[in-house]
Amino acid sequence: MSNPYESDKLLGEYLLFHYGSAAEVLPWSGGPVAALDYPVRCVTECVDVASLPPGARALDVGCAVGRATFELARHCGEVIGVDYSRRFVEVAGVLARDGAVPYQRTDEGALTTPLIATVPAGIQRDRVKFEHGDAQKLRDSPGSFDVILAANLIDRLREPGKFLARTPSLVRSGGQLVITSPYTWLEEFTPPNHWLGGFIENGVARTTLDGLSRALSDRFALVGTKDLPFLIREHARKYQWSVAQASIWRRK
Ligand SMILES: C[S@@+](CC[C@H](N)C(=O)[O-])C[C@H]1O[C@@H](n2cnc3c(N)ncnc32)[C@H](O)[C@@H]1O
């Protein structure tokens, strides 16, 4: 299958998802406004910024077009955003360099509206670097981090266990690992034998949180979980409303 995250369609949807204003994303009364600004809330609601050391290092794995990566830079001296989509990484790099990038929002069929994605003023863009990479085989020397964020990533990996197995060597003692996901397990992304949960095992329903605990709890303590709604606008009259579960882990 060709990578959907290289397509014009998803590039536009993710730029709007990450950088669109409330009026640009949801110009309807009665819509789920609590689901707006998801990449911002992944940081504000899940990262314990008060416990970060000065000059903290952060890694945003599966960063897409980088909004959460920039939000982490409000609190960290250095932030690396990694994504497997070369297109997303290239556009995120333009945002780091120029602070803005034009794009098209799909409204209906071939009808579009030109918009501009802008990194919020006050964020030091030079703290942020974007690179192409695979979460399942991250490069050997990214160093260690005070925070790792993996937002809506694990159910898009072929072998999420490989990513989880790497995290203890990447997170500093006392550092934070934030994993958010709606747990949309699909065979087209993840063969069922690699799903972390969402199946019956020995007659018992196994959730993804069970699978995460099994993979992480030797080296991380579970601080807590949160429900994080999010909204992706496909076109003027069609949205995906989802509720991710965030699990927040502290390295032992
Ligand atoms: C559902 S999107 C979530 C993006 C972003 N974190 C967010 O919350 O909006 C999944 C992202 O993971 C990226 N991705 C998929 N497989 C990957 C891999 N093996 N390594 C790194 N990123 C990957 C995709 O390119 C896409 O940007």
Side-chain angles (χ1 to χ4, degrees):
M1 136 180 119
S2 66
N3 183 353
Y5 294 105
E6 300 286 357
S7 65
D8 288 347
K9 177 179 184 299
L10 287 198
L11 178 63
E13 283 180 19
Y14 272 81
L15 283 166
L16 184 66
F17 179 39
H18 283 203
Y19 299 95
S21 67
E24 289 167 347
V25 177
L26 190 61
W28 303 100
S29 60
V33 290
L36 294 170
D37 297 322
Y38 177 71
V40 178
R41 286 182 290 112
C42 284
V43 176
T44 57
E45 295 189 27
C46 300
V47 177
D48 175 10
V49 296
S51 72
L52 292 173
R57 295 187 81 226
L59 178 67
D60 180 8
V61 191
C63 63
V65 289
R67 178 59 184 272
T69 324
F70 287 115
E71 293 299 321
L72 285 165
R74 293 185 193 272
H75 314 285
C76 300
E78 184 189 351
V79 192
I80 301 176
V82 175
D83 200 277
Y84 195 64
S85 163
R86 292 189 185 277
R87 191 113 185 261
F88 281 5
V89 168
E90 185 188 322
V91 171
V94 173
L95 282 159
R97 187 190 66 203
D98 300 343
V101 75
Y103 69 104
Q104 298 291 327
R105 181 188 69 179
T106 296
D107 292 331
E108 181 181 326
L111 303 179
T112 60
T113 299
L115 294 175
I116 297 177
T118 306
V119 180
I123 291 178
Q124 287 181 245
R125 303 196 309 275
D126 59 357
R127 293 180 170 189
V128 170
K129 283 196 181 60
F130 292 101
E131 54 184 68
H132 174 259
D134 183 342
Q136 300 154 122
K137 31 185 168 168
L138 290 167
R139 65 181 164 86
D140 281 341
S141 53
S144 56
F145 296 90
D146 301 288
V147 188
I148 294 185
L149 171 65
N152 293 6
L153 173 72
I154 53 169
D155 58 3
R156 290 294 169 268
L157 297 178
R158 197 172 163 74
E159 294 187 54
K162 276 195 177 165
F163 164 64
L164 297 177
R166 184 73 196 281
T167 55
S169 64
L170 294 172
V171 182
R172 293 175 180 161
S173 175
Q176 304 169 58
L177 171 64
V178 174
I179 296 174
T180 72
S181 174
Y183 308 147
T184 307
W185 297 108
L186 293 170
E187 287 188 39
E188 64 205 84
F189 292 105
T190 316
N193 60 318
H194 289 300
W195 292 7
L196 298 174
F199 52 80
I200 304 285
E201 186 180 51
N202 301 324
V204 177
R206 182 164 150 189
T207 67
T208 303
L209 188 60
D210 296 333
L212 288 169
S213 296
R214 198 176 285 193
L216 295 173
S217 55
D218 279 356
R219 315 293 287 279
F220 291 89
L222 179 61
V223 176
T225 61
K226 279 193 176 170
D227 297 323
L228 293 182
F230 66 92
L231 188 69
I232 297 180
R233 180 191 184 280
E234 289 190 29
H235 61 72
R237 295 175 182 276
K238 185 174 180 211
Y239 291 79
Q240 301 165 25
W241 179 79
S242 312
V243 183
Q245 181 174 58
S247 58
I248 301 160
W249 306 83
R250 184 74 75 167
R251 179 80 167 89
K252 293 177 182 169

